[in-house]
Amino acid sequence: MSTTGTATRTRRERPKPLRLSDAAAGRLRDIMEKAEGRYAGVRVGVTNGGCAGMSYTMEYAEDARPLDEVVDDKGVRLFIDPKAILFLLGTEMDFVKDKLAARFVFNNPNQTAACGCGESVSIQPAQAE
């Protein structure tokens, strides 16, 4: 007697294209609290420009755009521009403070170079394993 049925498989969670350090998540939660609910989250992407070729972008997001990748990480909602996904895969966003500045930093394994001023980077799209 043969049985034909469908086995239920548990779906493996897709890896997040971008994840937050504890410091970045804490700072973004503080920023969003001060926005008093006016925004749904933070939109993250990359744009062409600068002396090294590309720059990271961050802005308030009122809602998801079509095709945005929505990432919830450590209490923060991120909207990832679909054109940026391959450039951001494996990236951790951090928030660092030193004596003269506080800033968000992208620790990106796809980044191949950065300009001296730190405003632009060269990024290669992630390759399939």
Side-chain angles (χ1 to χ4, degrees):
M1 175 174 180
S2 119
T3 59
T4 57
T6 57
T8 19
R9 286 193 223 168
T10 56
R11 291 188 89 173
R12 186 173 61 173
E13 185 178 331
R14 264 184 8 185
K16 296 174 184 171
L18 177 71
R19 63 187 192 288
L20 300 172
S21 70
D22 290 338
R27 181 65 182 130
L28 286 171
R29 283 192 305 268
D30 290 345
I31 290 169
M32 294 306 292
E33 275 180 27
K34 290 177 183 162
E36 298 175 344
R38 291 187 306 240
Y39 304 103
V42 176
R43 180 164 286 107
V44 179
V46 295
T47 186
N48 291 330
C51 51
M54 300 184 98
S55 297
Y56 296 106
T57 61
M58 291 177 61
E59 63 186 8
Y60 288 114
E62 292 180 0
D63 54 16
R65 293 179 182 159
L67 305 179
D68 272 353
E69 178 85 17
V70 179
V71 174
D72 291 307
D73 193 17
K74 299 178 182 170
V76 178
R77 177 160 284 177
L78 302 170
F79 300 96
I80 312 294
D81 182 337
K83 295 175 286 190
I85 294 290
L86 286 178
F87 295 104
L88 293 174
L89 284 173
T91 298
E92 178 190 59
M93 186 191 322
D94 196 8
F95 184 73
V96 296
K97 292 182 191 179
D98 57 30
K99 289 183 181 182
L100 299 175
R103 64 195 176 282
F104 289 98
V105 175
F106 292 82
N107 298 313
N108 187 340
N110 306 306
Q111 184 174 313
T112 57
C115 68
C117 67
E119 292 296 318
S120 67
V121 294
S122 292
I123 309 171
Q124 297 296 321
Q127 300 298 315
E129 292 180 12

